[in-house]
């Protein structure tokens, strides 16, 4: 979970000043500050959102979850491609890979992520079907 997504969902039932998510997969670290005019019913509804919302954000994955989607053979093919690009004095996919993994949560809808996905298919690192699974 990320704070932006949680805030959108809580604001559907309760007006808030702020929403925080310290550890994305630990509901105990998620919190919100209701506005002064929030009713007890709205606050209870917001508490229910925190208690029941899926931890995984649709279209987003943690770095660990994203990497776990790769088979060893696919990851090895990626690393060989990066090695070959470096040997040929090319940046290749390496920079996009690093930018994508720099975020705490990878937003699969971002243009940079979709470009990386397309490049990995074009380079033969992944099949289109596997790219759709990994980047889904």
């Amino acid at each position: 979970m990320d704070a932006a997504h949680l805030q959108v969902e809580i604001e559907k039932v309760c007006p808030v000043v702020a929403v925080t998510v310290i550890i994305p997969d630990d509901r105990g670290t998620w919190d919100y500050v209701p506005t002064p005019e929030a009713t007890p019913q709205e606050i209870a509804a917001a508490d229910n959102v925190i208690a029941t919302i899926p931890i995984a954000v649709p279209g987003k994955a943690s770095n660990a979850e994203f990497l776990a989607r790769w088979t060893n053979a696919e990851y090895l093919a990626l690393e060989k491609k990066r090695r070959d690009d470096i040997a040929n004095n090319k940046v290749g996919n390496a920079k996009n890979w690093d930018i994508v993994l720099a975020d705490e949560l990878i937003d699969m809808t971002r243009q940079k992520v979709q470009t990386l996905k397309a490049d990995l298919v074009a380079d033969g690192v992944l099949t289109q079907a596997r790219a759709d699974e990994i980047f889904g």
Side-chain angles (χ1 to χ4, degrees):
M1 180 57 55
D2 65 72
H5 184 75
L6 184 59
Q7 182 163 343
V8 167
E9 296 304 311
I10 290 176
E11 284 179 337
K12 290 177 182 178
V13 297
C14 180
V16 296
V17 174
V19 174
T20 57
V21 172
I22 297 171
I23 302 172
D25 61 353
D26 181 357
R27 292 176 196 276
T29 69
W30 306 355
D31 199 11
Y32 68 97
V33 177
T35 62
E37 59 272 2
T39 67
Q41 294 82 9
E42 289 171 326
I43 293 170
D47 290 341
N48 187 57
V49 168
I50 288 178
T52 61
I53 192 170
I55 289 176
V57 177
K60 293 190 179 181
S62 69
N63 290 339
E65 179 185 347
F66 177 71
L67 291 171
R69 295 175 182 180
W70 292 70
T71 66
N72 288 346
E74 292 164 343
Y75 195 76
L76 181 60
L78 170 72
E79 291 303 307
K80 286 181 177 180
K81 171 71 169 103
R82 289 178 65 145
R83 178 204 61 207
D84 293 345
D85 285 344
I86 291 168
N88 291 316
N89 208 27
K90 292 174 43 181
V91 173
N93 300 324
K95 186 174 181 183
N96 278 350
W97 175 267
D98 293 343
I99 290 170
V100 166
L101 266 73
D103 290 333
E104 187 174 317
L105 281 177
I106 299 169
D107 181 348
M108 300 301 173
T109 64
R110 276 186 51 213
Q111 184 59 47
K112 185 70 70 179
V113 176
Q114 290 301 305
T115 298
L116 176 62
K117 174 184 171 185
D119 288 348
L120 292 173
V121 171
D123 291 342
V125 173
L126 296 172
T127 65
Q128 185 65 55
R130 281 297 295 149
D132 290 343
E133 288 179 44
I134 292 169
F135 288 81

